[in-house]
Amino acid sequence: MSDSYEVEEGIHYASLSGLDPDLYNEDQLPTTREQRNWNWVSIAALWVGMVVCIPTYLLASYLIGAGMSWDQAVTTILLANLIVLFPMVLVGHAGTKYGIPFPVLLRSSFGPTGAKIPAVARGIVACGWFGIQTWVGGSAIYVIINKLSGGAIDGDIIGFLGINLGQFICFLAFWALHLYFIKNGTESIRWLETYAAPFLLAMGFALLAWAWVSAGGFGEMLSTPSAFDPGGEKEGQFWGVFWPSLTGMVGFWATLALNIPDFTRHASSQKDQIKGQAIGLPIPMALFAFIASAVTSATVVIFGEPIWDPIALTEKMGGFAVIIALFALIVATLTTNLAANVVAPAHGFSNLAPGSINLRQGGYITAAIGLVMFPWILVNHIIGWLIAYSALLGPIAGIMLADYYIHRKQELNVGDLFRRSGIYGDGINWAGMGALIIGILPNLPGFLGSVGLADPATGIFATIYTYAWFVGLFVAGAAYLVLAKALGK
């Protein structure tokens, strides 16, 4: 058994032998020199494609509805994404250095068998969001067709489905579009993101220009003071709203911080992955939040009411602008869904049985689960559950960072990640599993209360859940270091 490594600009190209067949397939092996063709522009475009979506557009509305002024809302979103950028870059480092995806990296801290649990946990959250985003895209198609045909596909609700036939067919059509990119793999997603990014940015600025011209300015909302200012409805309550809001905004992309190696493994260098993420994540998030705030402010003047929902807004715009705007929404939803909600679960399901399930088949499984979840029902009932579930994945990030940077000091034996006889063991690393449980426990009362399985948390547990992502990350990371030392892992 011998492994050879060629190191170039801090990137390892591995030639491996003696690997266990049940621990790898072609999609999980370290990327080759030829596969590392994503420069910083590709990484930034990936993020723009993910950022420009309806949930991101709505983020500012939640904060403004809580009492913030538009500039406080945009600043909160910018700060949250600057915070989450750090784990993105830090976890992404391992992907670029060793060329391995998220589930393989997990084996270092959880063991070959134990890694299946956090990988699938991350994947299940993504399946839920995949279905919801597909429903959103299908709804845009439905509106376009009805606009062009005078309501030809409108109809009665089908009992067991809960939607009409036209809505279901449009959902299936958008769902099927994802299958094309799943079939053609990660490189086709990179191609889509690269070409879609400038189009999506242009559409955002076009929407901003439309609002400015139609309203003769942006209207009342941008001049409305914060409700927390002296004399305001919530005077002196800013920090009580700011901290849980910041945690929520961090949690929006925190799940992707786990599986970012799935993308950075294709980066040409560490400089490319760092620069691409630094440009592509926080700035577009803040910019898109500002566009959402400004456009919604203008709708108060134009239509007499604030309209946050982009699909509802496009329906009111009228003319050919409706078609262009909805087409942009379809592209935005597709680019977000493929990158954020297909790649992670595809790798996670592939990791369950690498010898039998490759990345493409993992993607098909993801699409199938997203379909049978009935997302048009899911979106109305358990978005809070999905967000809370995602927040509980914070401890995984803490364990990965503690293992890679402190315990392993950025040095991994890549070959042993694919061998049961290697240094990472043949089953579960109980240091990782124990730390995961310890990291989840402080947030558990708040989590159960937030999803309606217990009374709302009070006292210290309510305070802890306000900072759930941070608490989980640091508690689990510290617990892992203690357990790894005690267990000799």
Side-chain angles (χ1 to χ4, degrees):
M1 178 190 306
S2 64
D3 298 335
S4 62
Y5 294 90
E6 177 186 351
V7 182
E8 182 177 305
E9 295 184 32
I11 305 170
H12 289 206
Y13 303 88
S15 175
L16 308 173
S17 61
L19 310 184
D20 288 321
D22 67 330
L23 288 180
Y24 80 96
N25 57 43
E26 227 176 80
D27 298 312
Q28 292 184 326
L29 290 175
T31 46
T32 63
R33 187 192 306 272
E34 291 73 25
Q35 291 171 318
R36 294 169 177 268
N37 57 359
W38 292 34
N39 58 21
W40 71 267
V41 175
S42 301
I43 302 288
L46 173 78
W47 271 112
V48 171
M50 288 192 290
V51 162
V52 181
C53 63
I54 291 176
T56 303
Y57 190 94
L58 294 174
L59 286 182
S61 72
Y62 302 141
L63 301 182
I64 291 174
M68 289 189 183
S69 59
W70 74 268
D71 54 323
Q72 288 174 336
V74 171
T75 301
T76 301
I77 290 169
L78 175 61
L79 180 58
N81 285 278
L82 287 172
I83 290 172
V84 83
L85 177 65
F86 281 96
M88 288 286 184
V89 168
L90 292 174
V91 177
H93 183 281
T96 301
K97 183 173 183 179
Y98 294 104
I100 52 177
F102 165 60
V104 174
L105 178 60
L106 281 173
R107 295 173 187 174
S108 172
S109 49
F110 288 90
T113 301
K116 299 177 188 295
I117 296 172
V120 170
R122 166 69 181 97
I124 290 172
V125 175
C127 286
W129 284 114
F130 169 84
I132 289 170
Q133 292 273 21
T134 304
W135 168 244
V136 169
S139 297
I141 294 174
Y142 177 77
V143 172
I144 288 177
I145 294 176
N146 270 328
K147 282 284 183 182
L148 292 175
S149 64
I153 61 170
D154 203 0
D156 296 330
I157 300 297
I158 300 173
F160 75 97
L161 279 179
I163 55 177
N164 66 44
L165 182 61
Q167 289 174 305
F168 185 62
I169 291 174
C170 290
F171 167 76
L172 285 182
F174 191 56
W175 177 85
L177 182 58
H178 289 77
L179 300 184
Y180 168 83
F181 291 96
I182 291 172
K183 177 183 177 182
N184 288 280
T186 308
E187 192 59 24
S188 70
I189 296 176
R190 180 183 77 93
W191 174 88
L192 175 66
E193 304 286 350
T194 300
Y195 285 98
F199 168 73
L200 293 174
L201 286 173
M203 288 297 99
F205 284 117
L207 183 61
L208 194 65
W210 169 84
W212 173 270
V213 171
S214 299
F218 290 130
E220 301 173 1
M221 191 179 300
L222 295 190
S223 61
T224 301
S226 167
F228 309 111
D229 288 349
E233 183 183 346
K234 299 181 179 181
E235 179 180 353
Q237 301 176 37
F238 176 76
W239 297 110
V241 172
F242 171 78
W243 289 113
S245 297
L246 183 68
T247 301
M249 296 302 109
V250 168
F252 188 76
W253 286 122
T255 49
L256 201 72
L258 301 180
N259 71 288
I260 195 65
D262 294 341
F263 301 103
T264 60
R265 67 196 293 247
H266 296 281
S268 300
S269 67
Q270 294 292 355
K271 181 180 178 181
D272 283 299
Q273 76 98 356
I274 293 171
K275 184 178 179 181
Q277 294 206 78
I279 293 173
L281 173 57
I283 298 171
M285 281 291 292
L287 175 62
F288 204 51
F290 168 72
I291 290 174
S293 302
V295 171
T296 304
S297 180
T299 62
V300 177
V301 177
I302 300 168
F303 301 113
E305 60 177 332
I307 302 173
W308 281 103
D309 183 351
I311 293 181
L313 174 59
T314 55
E315 287 187 85
K316 282 183 169 288
M317 289 169 68
F320 192 68
V322 175
I323 309 302
I324 298 174
L326 287 171
F327 177 73
L329 284 177
I330 291 168
V331 173
T333 304
L334 180 64
T335 55
T336 300
N337 222 13
L338 287 168
N341 300 321
V342 171
V343 175
H347 274 296
F349 294 131
S350 175
N351 191 57
L352 288 174
S356 304
I357 305 173
N358 60 24
L359 186 61
R360 180 185 301 169
Q361 292 163 338
Y364 291 148
I365 292 171
T366 300
I369 293 174
L371 177 63
V372 301
M373 277 183 164
F374 279 43
W376 50 89
I377 298 175
L378 185 68
V379 71
N380 292 324
H381 293 281
I382 65 167
I383 285 186
W385 175 285
L386 287 169
I387 293 173
Y389 189 129
S390 299
L392 291 181
L393 298 182
I396 299 174
I399 292 167
M400 293 172 69
L401 291 170
D403 177 73
Y404 183 66
Y405 283 96
I406 301 175
H407 187 55
R408 310 285 182 190
K409 295 180 172 56
Q410 303 176 40
E411 293 300 324
L412 301 178
N413 185 319
V414 176
D416 279 359
L417 291 171
F418 300 95
R419 300 188 189 106
R420 295 194 179 278
S421 59
I423 62 173
Y424 305 109
D426 64 351
I428 297 175
N429 179 347
W430 289 106
M433 293 304 300
L436 179 61
I437 294 170
I438 292 170
I440 287 174
L441 283 177
N443 290 320
L444 192 58
F447 169 77
L448 294 175
S450 71
V451 298
L453 295 179
D455 292 333
T458 58
I460 185 64
F461 291 112
T463 302
I464 287 173
Y465 198 63
T466 298
Y467 310 97
W469 184 81
F470 301 97
V471 171
L473 186 144
F474 286 109
V475 169
Y480 176 77
L481 294 175
V482 172
L483 290 174
K485 186 172 182 179
L487 298 174
K489 295 295 184 180

